[in-house]
Amino acid sequence: MTTTTTKAARLRLAALLAVTGALYLWDLGASGYANQFYAAAAQAGGASWKAFFFGASDAAGAITVDKPPAALWPMGLSVRLFGLGSWAILVPEALMGVAAVGVLYAAVRRHFGEAAGLLAGAAFALTPVAALMFRFDNPDALLCLLMVCAVACVLRTLEAGRTAWLLLAGLCFGLAFLTKTLQAWLILPPLAVLYAVCAPGRPLRRAGQLLLAGLVTVVSGGWWVAVVELWPAGSRPYIGGSQHNSFLELTFGYNGLGRINGNETGSVGGGGHGPGGGGGRWGDTGILRLFGSDMGGQIAWLLPAAFALLVAGLVLTRRAGRTDIRRAAFLAWGGAMLMTFGVFSFMSGIFHQYYNVALAPYVAALIGMGAVLLWERRAFAVLAAVVAGTGGWAYVLLDRTPQWLPWLKWAVLLGGVVAGCALLGARRVPVARVAVALSVTSALAAPLAYTLNTVRTPHGGSIVTAGPAVKGAGRFGGGGGVRMAGRDERFGGQKGAPGGRGAWGAPGGRGPAGPMGKQQRGERASGVPAPGGPGGGMGGLLGGSRVSAAAAAAVQKDASEYRWAAAAVGSQNAASYQLATQVPVMAVGGFNGSDPSPTPRQFEAYVKAGEVHYFIAAGGGEARGGGRGGTESASAGIAAWVAAHFTKITVGGATLYDLTRPVEGR
């Protein structure tokens, strides 16, 4: 009987993982290179081990991406093994999603049973923002996997106080730091306090274990930082996102405290005006931020239920002993959720909808654990209220997309009410089975529909969102996600671009369209300029530039004779040409075009030494530059110098300056 049950459980787990894999891999190549900023760095890492190590944007090592490189390493290895292509870039991300679902299932099942594990895994896999990011090439996929592993390891060591599991958790946090710097450590404080208070063993032993785990975290996350800071700055890439070529500055500034207070030197500007909910570029801040039009459809479907089940779980386990593992599980997943939710709600700096993927596993774990615990304790009235409330909240969220599946909001509302009523009579076995089926269906139907819409829609650019058009969504921090309209080939990843097809397939030819409300026509809404432009734009933030076959061929010609075949202001613009040609293209000014790399004097030296062939002009046909937010930058001086001193040519709709051909008299 036990063997049969074990085999059945394994089959159900295999089914969960298989469905998750199919969901995340389905038509994956439709998104092309997705975020070309990271795809170009993966291409560079596949061509150069030095670029791989530092996370450089190009194989010649001009500048790094504005994150540490751990998330680029799996993609870079994949490109090295299978050749450049959208599947080589994106399959590692999808597999991370499957692994994260499996780890979450195992962690929840261990203490709450198979049903809880399956429910948690399904809720996680069907969270729209999770489906979005595990099919995309941003660092958030690896970060999410490592956070799930870290919490799971802490729970394992809480069972018997084994140091090895705690050290493994420290390793996860260290690798997560090398993925997305300080965001990785958001949940460290609640987990450390939990272990100090609830772990078995004497207080001094617990303190010693925490110190050892902290040492592992620092070493596993700090070794790369030490190498970068000690490496001679002149022989490594410039640290993108910093103003003084320092990774520590990047960590504690632009990618650290700047995200909290909005003081982000070198970025596109801060966000809300603080806890009062002021409006800003990145959306309103406040306790309701993640429930609003901009964020709700990404993560909030089960968020109210997770809060309710966290409270219920802690109430039901309030009399348990200090080391009770079930209560510790609620505190671990709940503490991680509360800490992340609080920071996301009130941070004033750069904040995008897709960041919410960090919340997805914590919410899903609480759903699985809480629902099963309430069922075991026969708290059917509370469970009925949670299920009915979830149906009502789904109605509210779906009402924000009135033209999309208008019948669904009524179906989930009715399903939630009926399921809640059925739960009230769940003491009878036949009714119980019906109640469970109705409850799970009504709770997951709406996020499933959003997730299927997300999977069927190609996404590209720097700012992406899950699901259909949302009424009332704003720009950038509020619904300005870049989606791809049908088979539009206007931007990046063009079919037929030289060198654009690898062993795993070409990018697919899709390019970013406008925000969700105008996705079918590929237009930008709310006055946000379209990414890139006909001639290779400055745009850069939202997406790359169009690269015609003729322009790509021109850049490729004689590329081996130069360190950089071309240079362009902004990483997205440079990435478009690099991915189309697979030759190094310098990103002047880094991601925003506002980093002081290279300086005008350095760029002039590169040109005089014959190391750069072309300068790719901004959209509109003229070379231009400048920092975001209206500030003058090194890139502006470079662009002006190029326009004044070198011959301008037009190739395939792109404006290039041949840096080997000065204009007469110069």
Side-chain angles (χ1 to χ4, degrees):
M1 182 67 177
T2 302
T3 303
T4 303
T5 303
T6 301
K7 288 182 178 179
R10 288 174 179 170
L11 287 174
R12 286 187 286 267
L13 171 59
L16 171 66
L17 298 181
V19 171
T20 302
L23 188 68
Y24 291 172
L25 290 167
W26 176 263
D27 199 21
L28 192 60
S31 292
Y33 291 126
N35 190 342
Q36 296 185 79
F37 175 58
Y38 293 115
Q43 181 275 329
S48 163
W49 285 115
K50 186 174 182 179
F52 177 90
F53 178 80
F54 286 107
S57 293
D58 65 90
I63 193 169
T64 70
V65 299
D66 57 1
K67 301 289 187 298
L72 299 173
W73 290 340
M75 294 187 289
L77 289 174
S78 179
V79 169
R80 188 172 286 271
L81 289 172
F82 302 106
L84 179 64
S86 59
W87 280 71
I89 295 289
L90 298 178
V91 165
E93 312 300 294
L95 296 180
M96 290 174 196
V98 177
V101 169
V103 174
L104 182 67
Y105 163 87
V108 173
R109 178 184 182 274
R110 186 172 182 85
H111 306 121
F112 291 86
E114 183 194 2
L118 290 172
L119 180 57
F124 181 26
L126 297 180
T127 303
V129 72
L132 174 70
M133 295 317 294
F134 287 123
R135 295 169 54 86
F136 211 70
D137 53 346
N138 280 23
D140 302 77
L142 179 58
L143 178 68
C144 190
L145 170 60
L146 289 169
M147 292 298 92
V148 175
C149 292
V151 178
C153 289
V154 170
L155 289 174
R156 285 299 298 271
T157 195
L158 280 167
E159 293 176 12
R162 294 179 180 174
T163 304
W165 283 106
L166 195 61
L167 299 184
L168 189 57
L171 176 62
C172 291
F173 279 116
L175 294 177
F177 176 83
L178 290 182
T179 301
K180 211 173 179 187
T181 60
L182 294 182
Q183 185 182 337
W185 293 353
L186 278 183
I187 67 173
L188 254 178
L191 291 178
V193 171
L194 173 65
Y195 192 82
V197 174
C198 297
R202 293 175 297 176
L204 284 178
R205 183 174 187 272
R206 283 177 262 153
Q209 289 175 312
L210 285 172
L211 288 174
L212 282 175
L215 179 62
V216 170
T217 299
V218 171
V219 171
S220 59
W223 68 271
W224 182 86
V225 179
V227 171
V228 170
E229 291 297 312
L230 294 173
W231 197 291
S235 64
R236 62 161 170 77
Y238 185 93
I239 302 301
S242 74
Q243 296 299 297
H244 301 92
N245 199 10
S246 168
F247 183 78
L248 292 177
E249 176 197 338
L250 174 67
T251 299
F252 294 103
Y254 176 71
N255 272 344
L257 298 179
R259 299 295 172 114
I260 304 298
N261 58 30
N263 297 322
E264 298 161 303
T265 303
S267 83
V268 296
H273 296 283
R281 186 184 297 273
W282 308 112
D284 293 346
T285 59
I287 196 69
L288 299 179
R289 184 184 207 177
L290 303 190
F291 299 98
S293 297
D294 302 337
M295 309 289 173
Q298 311 298 305
I299 188 62
W301 302 96
L302 301 175
L303 193 53
F307 279 111
L309 292 173
L310 172 60
V311 172
L314 293 177
V315 169
L316 291 175
T317 59
R318 67 188 183 279
R319 291 191 174 89
R322 179 180 65 83
T323 60
D324 181 77
I325 191 61
R326 281 191 154 194
R327 184 175 63 183
F330 276 104
L331 290 171
W333 296 110
M337 181 184 73
L338 291 173
M339 179 63 77
T340 305
F341 175 85
V343 172
F344 284 2
S345 295
F346 294 100
M347 60 187 285
S348 297
I350 293 175
F351 184 74
H352 301 309
Q353 296 94 327
Y354 64 78
Y355 290 2
N356 286 303
V357 69
L359 277 167
Y362 315 145
V363 171
L366 290 168
I367 293 296
M369 298 187 308
V372 166
L373 184 61
L374 288 178
W375 183 269
E376 291 175 351
R377 300 293 181 88
R378 299 295 189 264
F380 297 127
V382 178
L383 195 55
V386 171
V387 170
T390 299
W393 175 238
Y395 175 92
V396 173
L397 291 175
L398 289 169
D399 194 47
R400 297 171 181 174
T401 58
Q403 305 303 319
W404 180 75
L405 301 181
W407 56 269
L408 183 59
K409 62 183 179 182
W410 297 105
V412 296
L413 177 62
L414 179 62
V417 172
V418 173
C421 293
L423 283 168
L424 294 176
R427 286 180 173 80
R428 300 176 58 187
V429 174
V431 177
R433 291 175 178 172
V434 173
V436 169
L438 281 175
S439 298
V440 173
T441 301
S442 65
L444 297 183
L448 169 62
Y450 247 66
T451 293
L452 291 177
N453 176 275
T454 301
V455 169
R456 293 178 57 200
T457 305
H459 294 80
S462 299
I463 307 176
V464 289
T465 55
V470 178
K471 181 173 62 177
R475 53 183 291 189
F476 290 115
V482 179
R483 295 154 60 91
M484 296 181 175
R487 304 292 174 178
D488 189 358
E489 298 181 33
R490 295 176 301 151
F491 306 108
Q494 288 75 17
K495 293 177 181 177
R501 186 179 299 273
W504 280 25
R510 283 79 161 178
M516 298 178 292
K518 297 186 178 182
Q519 65 191 44
Q520 297 306 314
R521 297 192 300 276
E523 303 173 73
R524 293 298 303 174
S526 305
V528 182
M538 272 283 293
L541 273 179
L542 299 182
S545 312
R546 174 182 177 179
V547 183
S548 67
V555 171
Q556 277 186 316
K557 185 177 180 181
D558 301 325
S560 61
E561 299 179 12
Y562 302 88
R563 184 176 176 185
W564 292 280
V569 175
S571 294
Q572 290 281 14
N573 299 321
S576 298
Y577 280 85
Q578 184 167 302
L579 291 169
T581 62
Q582 297 194 46
V583 296
V585 178
M586 178 192 294
V588 176
F591 184 77
N592 297 321
S594 58
D595 294 345
S597 173
T599 65
R601 179 174 295 181
Q602 288 171 331
F603 189 80
E604 290 180 28
Y606 290 143
V607 173
K608 290 177 181 178
E611 295 189 284
V612 190
H613 192 182
Y614 291 108
F615 185 89
I616 302 166
E622 295 299 327
R624 53 190 173 94
R628 301 289 172 184
T631 61
E632 195 75 5
S633 69
S635 60
I638 291 170
W641 177 76
V642 167
H645 290 81
F646 294 95
T647 303
K648 180 171 66 175
I649 60 176
T650 301
V651 182
T655 299
L656 309 177
Y657 287 83
D658 189 340
L659 302 182
T660 66
R661 294 172 56 192
V663 296
E664 292 184 10
R666 294 287 183 176

